[in-house]
Amino acid sequence: MRVILPDGETRVMSSGGPLIRDLLEELGINPLEVLVARNGRIVPEEDLAGEEDEIRVIRVVHGG
Amino acid sequence: MRCSICDDAAVARSSRSRKLLCSSHFMEAFEDQVAKTLKAGRMIEDGNRIAVALSGGKDSVVLLYVLKKILAGEAVELFAITIDEGIKGYREDTIGYARRISDELEVELKMRSFRDEFGSDLDRIVVGRDEAPCTFCGVLRKSALNRAARDLGATKLATGHNLDDEAQSVMMNYLRGDIEGLLRLSPKRPLPGLVPRIKPLRHIPEKEVALYGILAGVHPEAPECPYAHSSMRFEIRRMMNGLERDHPGTKGSVLRGFEKILKSAEDRPAATPLSSCRICGEPTFRDLCRACHLLGRSR
């Protein structure tokens, strides 16, 4: 799958688990600090992430 | 995954009801929660003139949007105050967004700045100081907001503090051993010279505030404040989010525990009475208000 990280970096990767939550864990990202769009639509992180999907990770917790 | 109410595509699982919700049911539940918080805290009464502290970041933008929606037809006035702290490369965008959103929502916006209020931008104030920039920014902004709200005839000052902010503030005061500061987070009685503050988003997690902003089409694409990483709050935020991930409900427990402490301290007299700062005249529990103390004013 294609993963777009909050800083704009794009990675092509396979996730060890079937869920978006598993992918976030692999990336070391706390799900409480991001929203995730799968193929352009925001989905719960307990939803599935397939090999053909584009996953965009949007950071929503900022400092300040 | 489908919405547990209508079978449309789900966008999130609500932290409160634990139900999967689609966009429209998520927004409806969010607005219900804000209305419930306003009612339970008796935050707004007929005839109120409410100043919304509008930084232009996601929390304050969502607050303005949702208050405008919920209070439509109510006998209250709503306007916004933006404080330009003077942070180069950061505030230009967020202040621009504050102007745009207040225009779109047809809410009057009043601007104030650190330069006007304190004679200098934050960027200059913090040079060579030991305290973290966020300490200056928080204290001075609070002072400037209160003064502006009072001068503009506001009867309430609404801020966009969410559940994460509240839990972090409680923890910061615990860790500093500052019980007076803890109790002042939520004053029960009106204090002379201080416009009563209300926090309608205080029971809603930060992530859900952001999601609501995106779904409502008002989420600002804002850069991160360049000073954010230097604050103690940054460390507490990371710690609290780790705890919440591993032990869901921790932030809510922190807030509920704090409210129990407040209740038990309700009839306790303040350690020191409120007076006026001998330099600027703003309300304070000390000889000098925190703003003047930080700025080293001592004449």
Side-chain angles (χ1 to χ4, degrees), chain B:
Chain B
M1 304 191 90
R2 315 306 297 179
C3 173
S4 55
I5 299 173
C6 71
D7 210 35
D8 276 356
V11 292
R13 184 178 289 283
S14 160
S15 62
R16 183 161 286 263
S17 68
R18 304 305 304 154
K19 285 180 180 165
L20 282 167
L21 297 175
C22 66
S23 172
S24 56
H25 282 115
F26 175 86
M27 292 181 74
E28 195 180 299
F30 186 101
E31 288 155 16
D32 284 351
Q33 177 60 50
V34 177
K36 204 170 144 193
T37 303
L38 290 176
K39 195 173 171 193
R42 295 183 190 148
M43 291 182 178
I44 289 176
E45 295 147 346
D46 279 358
N48 273 172
R49 180 167 154 77
I50 304 157
V52 176
L54 180 68
S55 68
K58 68 176 188 309
D59 301 299
S60 64
V61 166
V62 164
L63 176 65
L64 185 66
Y65 178 90
V66 77
L67 284 182
K68 173 85 181 174
K69 193 169 180 184
I70 288 176
L71 298 175
E74 300 286 331
V76 296
E77 273 181 81
L78 205 60
F79 72 103
I81 300 172
T82 295
I83 307 290
D84 180 0
E85 298 89 354
I87 304 173
K88 204 165 188 294
Y90 169 62
R91 286 302 270 146
E92 297 86 347
D93 287 351
T94 42
I95 288 170
Y97 196 71
R99 288 185 202 280
R100 204 153 64 243
I101 196 72
S102 50
D103 274 356
E104 277 175 33
L105 296 175
E106 297 177 338
V107 172
E108 185 185 14
L109 173 66
K110 299 287 190 183
M111 292 285 306
R112 295 286 188 276
S113 71
F114 275 16
R115 192 176 294 179
D116 295 339
E117 295 285 326
F118 307 110
S120 191
D121 290 340
L122 183 73
D123 286 339
R124 290 174 66 100
I125 290 172
V126 298
V127 174
R129 306 278 193 158
D130 292 336
E131 298 89 346
C134 298
T135 302
F136 284 95
C137 193
V139 168
L140 301 185
R141 186 175 55 237
K142 198 166 161 186
S143 173
L145 274 170
N146 184 64
R147 190 199 303 265
R150 196 182 58 221
D151 292 352
L152 294 163
T155 52
K156 297 281 164 56
L157 175 60
T159 63
H161 292 93
N162 56 49
L163 174 62
D164 296 46
D165 297 325
E166 290 288 272
Q168 288 157 19
S169 296
V170 170
M171 285 307 292
M172 283 169 71
N173 280 290
Y174 279 147
L175 294 178
R176 288 175 176 149
D178 186 359
I179 300 305
E180 288 299 318
L182 184 71
L183 298 178
R184 280 201 296 274
L185 287 175
S186 191
K188 286 290 166 201
R189 284 175 289 275
L191 297 168
L194 285 174
V195 178
R197 281 177 291 148
I198 58 172
K199 301 172 185 175
L201 307 181
R202 69 194 297 264
H203 293 297
I204 303 181
E206 180 165 17
K207 178 171 171 165
E208 294 188 9
V209 174
L211 177 55
Y212 182 89
I214 289 174
L215 298 175
V218 297
H219 189 268
E221 287 298 327
E224 186 165 34
C225 177
Y227 295 122
H229 294 258
S230 61
S231 70
M232 181 183 185
R233 185 176 286 274
F234 182 80
E235 294 172 53
I236 304 256
R237 172 184 291 123
R238 185 166 280 177
M239 178 189 83
M240 297 289 301
N241 281 338
L243 286 169
E244 181 74 31
R245 179 194 56 212
D246 300 337
H247 310 281
T250 298
K251 291 172 191 170
S253 301
V254 168
L255 197 55
R256 282 194 299 280
F258 166 59
E259 280 165 357
K260 284 179 195 161
I261 291 172
L262 272 186
K263 198 159 177 55
S264 67
E266 233 165 36
D267 298 324
R268 168 186 166 279
T272 45
L274 190 72
S275 61
S276 297
C277 171
R278 70 179 163 84
I279 303 294
C280 72
E282 283 295 294
T284 178
F285 291 92
R286 304 178 182 88
D287 176 40
L288 286 184
C289 68
R290 280 199 74 201
C292 287
H293 175 75
L294 273 175
L295 292 169
R297 293 167 166 173
S298 59
R299 73 184 144 80

